[in-house]
């Protein structure tokens, strides 16, 4: 069983700049079959936007998606882990802050992402969450 974040994380997470329009972010999520995109500036993580953020912070607020840059709807107060951190520490942080994903940062640069799905697949391959996380996307 893996002990460190680097063994479980998703390397090379999808990123966009702070100025990226929301439709472009949504299209990336669809193309890559993901629910979150990191906002970066020169490999430095500046925020995180989820598919839920697009709905709750943009559409439900009647914002014009094509005129709204992602920086206006992303979360910027992020809790991060490093690739060397113990997985149990990452789980504690997720529980403590009620998070589903953590940016993995090394030397102030984004190097990966750790999600509860990644952890479920690693820790309990027979769980419902692991099954869902491994499933092919809906078409």
């Amino acid at each position: 069983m893996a002990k460190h974040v680097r063994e479980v994380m998703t390397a090379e997470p999808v990123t966009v700049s702070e100025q990226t329009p929301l439709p472009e972010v949504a299209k990336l999520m669809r193309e890559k079959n993901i629910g979150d995109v990191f906002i970066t500036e020169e490999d430095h993580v500046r925020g995180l936007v989820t598919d839920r953020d697009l709905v709750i912070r943009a559409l439900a607020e009647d914002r014009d998606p094509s005129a709204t840059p992602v920086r206006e709807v992303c979360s910027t107060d992020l809790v991060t882990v490093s690739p060397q951190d113990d997985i149990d520490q990452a789980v504690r942080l997720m529980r403590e802050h009620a998070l589903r994903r953590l940016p993995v940062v090394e030397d102030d640069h984004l190097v990966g992402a750790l999600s509860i799905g990644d952890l479920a697949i690693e820790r309990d391959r027979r769980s419902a969450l692991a099954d869902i996380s491994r499933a092919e996307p809906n078409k």
Side-chain angles (χ1 to χ4, degrees):
M1 185 180 288
K3 292 194 178 278
H4 297 99
V5 168
R6 83 171 76 70
E7 299 170 70
V8 180
M9 72 181 197
T10 299
E12 299 179 28
V14 176
T15 64
V16 296
S17 74
E18 295 176 313
Q19 299 299 324
T20 306
L22 298 184
E24 189 175 325
V25 174
K27 288 174 187 172
L28 266 174
M29 289 179 178
R30 181 185 62 201
E31 290 168 9
K32 303 287 187 180
N33 187 36
I34 55 176
D36 58 84
V37 173
F38 288 94
I39 314 321
T40 59
E41 181 182 321
E42 298 177 8
D43 270 348
H44 300 285
V45 66
R46 298 293 185 236
L48 171 70
V49 67
T50 67
D51 45 8
R52 186 172 193 277
D53 292 331
L54 297 179
V55 172
I56 302 299
R57 296 179 179 171
L59 295 177
E61 296 293 324
D62 290 326
R63 293 177 185 246
D64 176 0
S66 60
T68 305
V70 71
R71 76 169 181 279
E72 292 183 18
V73 300
C74 72
S75 297
T76 57
D77 188 21
L78 302 178
V79 176
T80 66
V81 292
S82 80
Q84 297 81 12
D85 284 344
D86 187 271
I87 290 176
D88 291 333
Q89 171 65 17
V91 169
R92 280 191 294 279
L93 286 171
M94 288 176 151
R95 283 183 176 148
E96 179 181 326
H97 297 279
L99 299 171
R100 294 186 171 125
R101 58 193 60 79
L102 295 170
V104 182
V105 177
E106 185 170 44
D107 298 324
D108 198 36
H109 294 281
L110 181 68
V111 296
L114 181 67
S115 72
I116 59 173
D118 296 330
L119 293 169
I121 291 169
E122 170 61 26
R123 294 277 173 106
D124 189 0
R125 292 189 168 277
R126 296 187 322 235
S127 71
L129 181 56
D131 290 344
I132 292 166
S133 297
R134 283 192 303 267
E136 290 295 317
N138 293 333
K139 299 290 178 180

